[in-house]
């Protein structure tokens, strides 16, 4: 705890104890108030402003210090100042005092509480940010909840200070009025129980739950409004219609069929979506073949001579297709039909909140459904560059039809897809030039991570052009050329650091556009229906759109464009679509791993260092150099490192980044650890087979343990050993 916080805490505790030590609280009793009423009234007549001001200060101070007696002070306000002035004084003094107590609790304890119980408080924090005003209003309206407890507890949550103030002011007004009014007839009150009868408390409780009921009604009305103008069918053909049979759609349909719902899955193109046909599967198959070529070329350094390595690109692409073929049955119409899913091959269009039209071979049929899941994925983003129409460009959708290895391949984009495909083509024999407008590849990764990867890609011959912004495409004597604006940092001109830029020409035979992916949100009825979108389909934490029975998951919903996230979301979307309003689940993104399958691989879970910095999250870094690892040395792949972020002085993982061979596989241990709250001590205490790459995880835990060794204890142990040696 910082000195300032400690000081404030000591002052508050000292004042609190003094109030009892000097028996000041004896004055905050009904008997004393009644006894002194005459005197106080006379004082008010003689010194109206002074008495008003002193009473206000005493009220604020006692509330701020959470002393018992607010009720007596409120009665006193009525007894001395009358209903109008009494209410004004008590209302503002109570709110101000409560606010000071709230601020003190927040200043002294909020960070500590949030840090200690942060993860467990996530749901409460989210709820407070969203609905805090409603909860507080309910608590304030019911005078049964201890006033001072509400002040202190709210200070520990993430409710906004201003919200706390105004809701307290409004919420306490009615209760305060009742007590101030009672104070105007103080003589008739013999105990505090006389002020509020059981009936009145009942009325307050009803009033207290009113904001929550009002909120539920508002949400209901909002939901009904979305359906306005549409006629709900009396019965439905399906419980669920899923649009799109990619990773998200397949898992959604699978879950629905498993829980015995009637589900129709509509796919307009290929079952399996991007991942199977144009994404993860073909790209990993291509990377594998490229690695074979790379290893064959480098085998001679270990004494294995295979002669000149040549790549038959047609056969390579055949191999990629045969991998897809082999996996295809997992996502096939037959498999899903056998699982109990009704699979429709056709173009789906949502025509009402409960109806989907499916068009196939010129025929359209309409199916009704209680709920819909939009899982239409994303497509490559292709900006409208001047001259692009004259270039036979490639994207991750069309690349797989290539049957000739481009001699000079230009890859536009330095993200994971751009890096993976650049390396694959370079290893297969193309001369790859990779163009990125930022100052480094893979922007969301830490700078040192990117440095390790960039060194390897460059060493393999990829010409990486950073700070190059693609402008336009031109044709020069039958040759395609990209004109890019190159920014040169920090040129010194007249002693001033300025960014210089110049246009450069980059010739190529083929260009692959890998500039990101844009969600498929148009052309199937969302605009006409009024489903809200903002680049992706907009959803809440239940993955529900503004239509309560229409959900979205996968790339079309974001925020991550990964197969395992699409499947993860699909669970939430399908369960919520089928069981709302009886049971719903909020999507949990707390432990999301992501891997780039370059060589070396780059694998992450939790926070990267730059994310931790940006979020102002304190962290400690521990690293282990894979160059030192026996197995990596034996495999001639001793390159990279494991970087672990932990809470300072605590065995709690915040994030892990691995650059190295099989980094994606090594990461699995940390994903499990983070998901289930396991720390580095447990990883260190787990036997890892020798010699494996996974030992790197144990060694980094060892490094962390050494850095966090209890120095005092070790000094004692040293003394103990000295003593034993005699
Ligand atoms: C080159 C590349 C490599 C990748 N590598 C990885 C990786 O290694 N790991 C990883 O996790 N992710 C990877 N991804 C991302 C991954 O492929 C996607 O995140 C994943 O496929 C998203 O699944 P989805 O179900 O949301 O969408 P999709 O797989 O795109 O499926 C959407 C489906 O909806 C269909 N559809 C669209 N509109 C309609 C309509 N109106 N009617 C009927 N059907 C419709 C489409 O035809 C499509 O089949 C990669 C992507 C690419 C491009």
């Amino acid at each position: 705890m910082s000195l300032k916080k400690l000081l404030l805490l000591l002052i508050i505790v000292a004042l609190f104890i003094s109030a009892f030590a000097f028996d000041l609280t004896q004055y905050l009793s009904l008997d004393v108030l009644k006894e002194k009423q005459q005197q106080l009234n006379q004082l008010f007549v003689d010194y109206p402003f002074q008495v008003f001001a002193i009473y206000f200060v005493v009220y604020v101070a006692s509330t701020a210090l959470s002393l018992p007696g607010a009720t007596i002070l409120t009665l006193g306000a009525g007894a001395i100042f009358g209903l109008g002035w009494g209410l004004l004084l008590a209302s503002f003094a109570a709110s101000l005092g409560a606010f000071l107590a709230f601020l003190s609790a927040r200043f002294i304890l909020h960070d500590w509480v949030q840090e200690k119980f942060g993860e467990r408080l996530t749901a409460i924090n989210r709820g407070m940010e969203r609905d805090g005003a409603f909860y507080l209003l309910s608590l304030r309206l019911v005078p049964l909840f201890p006033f001072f407890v509400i002040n202190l507890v709210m200070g520990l949550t993430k409710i906004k200070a201003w919200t706390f103030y105004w809701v307290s002011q409004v919420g306490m007004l009615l209760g305060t009025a009742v007590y101030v009014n009672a104070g105007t007839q103080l003589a008739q009150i013999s105990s505090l129980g006389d002020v509020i009868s059981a009936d009145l408390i009942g009325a307050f409780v009803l009033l207290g739950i009113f904001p929550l009921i009002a909120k539920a009604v508002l949400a209901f009305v909002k939901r009904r409004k979305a359906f306005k103008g549409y006629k709900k069918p009396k019965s439905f053909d399906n419980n669920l219609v899923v649009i799109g049979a990619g990773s998200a759609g397949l898992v959604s349909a699978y879950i629905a069929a498993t829980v015995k719902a009637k589900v129709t899955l509509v796919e307009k193109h290929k079952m399996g979506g991007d991942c199977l046909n144009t994404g993860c599967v073909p790209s990993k198959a291509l990377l594998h073949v490229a690695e074979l070529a790379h290893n064959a070329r480098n085998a001679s350094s270990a004494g294995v001579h295979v002669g000149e390595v040549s790549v038959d690109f047609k056969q390579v692409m055949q191999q990629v297709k045969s991998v897809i073929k082999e996996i295809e049955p997992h996502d096939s119409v037959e498999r899903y039909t056998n699982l109990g899913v009704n699979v429709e091959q056709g173009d789906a269009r949502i025509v009402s909140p409960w109806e989907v039209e499916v068009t196939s071979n010129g025929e359209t049929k309409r199916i009704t459904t209680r709920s819909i899941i939009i899982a239409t994925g994303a497509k490559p983003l292709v900006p409208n560059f001047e001259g692009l129409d004259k270039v036979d460009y490639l994207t991750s959708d069309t690349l797989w039809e290539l049957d000739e290895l481009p001699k000079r391949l230009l890859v536009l984009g330095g993200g994971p897809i751009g890096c993976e495909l650049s390396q694959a083509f370079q290893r297969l024999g193309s001369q790859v030039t990779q163009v990125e407008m930022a100052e480094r590849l893979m922007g969301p990764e830490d700078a040192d991570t990117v440095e390790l990867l960039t060194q390897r890609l460059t060493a393999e011959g990829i010409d990486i052009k950073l700070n190059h912004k693609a402008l336009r495409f031109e044709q020069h004597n039958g040759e395609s050329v990209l004109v890019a604006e190159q920014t040169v940092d920090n040129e010194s001109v007249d002693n001033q650091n300025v960014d210089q830029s110049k246009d450069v020409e980059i010739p190529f035979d083929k260009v692959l556009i890998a500039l990101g992916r844009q969600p498929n949100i148009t052309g199937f009825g969302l605009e006409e229906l009024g489903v809200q979108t903002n680049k992706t389909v907009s959803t809440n934490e239940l993955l529900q759109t503004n239509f309560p029975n229409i959900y979205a998951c996968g790339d079309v919903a974001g925020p991550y464009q990964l197969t395992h996230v699409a499947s993860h979301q699909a669970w939430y979307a399908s369960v919520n679509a089928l069981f709302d309003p009886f049971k719903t689940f909020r999507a949990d993104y707390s432990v999301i791993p992501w891997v780039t399958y370059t060589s070396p691989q780059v694998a992450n879970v939790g926070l990267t260092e730059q994310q931790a910095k940006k979020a102002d999250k304190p962290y400690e870094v521990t690293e282990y150099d894979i160059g030192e690892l026996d197995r990596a040395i034996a495999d001639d792949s001793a390159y990279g490192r494991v970087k672990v972020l932990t809470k300072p002085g605590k065995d709690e993982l915040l994030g892990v980044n691995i650059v190295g061979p099989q980094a994606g596989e090594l990461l699995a241990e940390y994903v499990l650890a983070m998901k289930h709250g396991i720390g580095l001590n447990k990883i260190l205490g787990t036997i890892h087979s020798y010699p494996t790459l996974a030992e790197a995880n144990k060694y980094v835990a060892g490094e962390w343990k050494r850095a966090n060794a209890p120095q005092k204890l070790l000094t004692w142990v040293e003394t103990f050993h000295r003593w034993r040696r005699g």
Side-chain angles (χ1 to χ4, degrees), residues 658-679:
I658 309 177
V659 181
Q662 302 297 326
E665 309 293 332
L666 298 189
L667 190 75
E669 188 167 5
Y670 293 110
V671 180
L672 182 79
M674 285 188 74
K675 179 74 194 165
H676 298 285
I678 295 170

Side-chain angles (χ1 to χ4, degrees), residues 87-103:
L87 182 57
L88 189 76
L89 179 146
S91 169
F92 277 94
S95 306
L96 191 58
F99 190 52
L100 290 177
F102 165 90
L103 289 180

Side-chain angles (χ1 to χ4, degrees), residues 614-636:
K614 210 167 158 195
D616 235 351
K617 201 148 186 138
Y619 64 90
E620 232 171 57
V621 177
T622 311
E623 292 195 10
Y624 172 75
D625 181 0
I626 293 179
E628 304 280 318
L629 188 67
D630 292 3
R631 183 53 194 261
I633 296 170
D635 289 351
D636 194 19

Side-chain angles (χ1 to χ4, degrees), residues 245 250 253-254 265 267 270-273 276-277 324-345:
L250 287 170
Y254 181 100
L265 174 65
E267 172 55 55
K270 289 183 178 169
M271 294 291 285
L276 173 63
N277 300 293
I324 297 175
K325 274 258 154 315
E326 206 173 325
I327 299 178
E328 246 170 23
H330 303 173
D331 300 349
S332 65
V333 174
E334 295 70 36
R335 175 166 182 240
Y336 276 78
T337 308
N338 287 337
L339 285 168
V341 177
N342 171 38
V343 183
E344 295 279 352
Q345 301 232 259

Side-chain angles (χ1 to χ4, degrees), residues 243-249 266-270 273-275 278-280 283-284 346-348 375-378 396 417 517 524 554-555 561-564 566 597:
I243 305 177
S247 317
V266 192
E267 172 55 55
K268 69 173 177 185
H269 192 41
K270 289 183 178 169
D274 274 0
C275 185
T278 56
C280 334
S283 62
K284 267 76 250 180
D347 217 319
T376 49
S396 60
I417 294 177
R517 298 174 52 70
F524 58 98
D555 282 7
Q561 292 185 328
L562 296 164
T563 289
H564 46 279
Y597 296 91

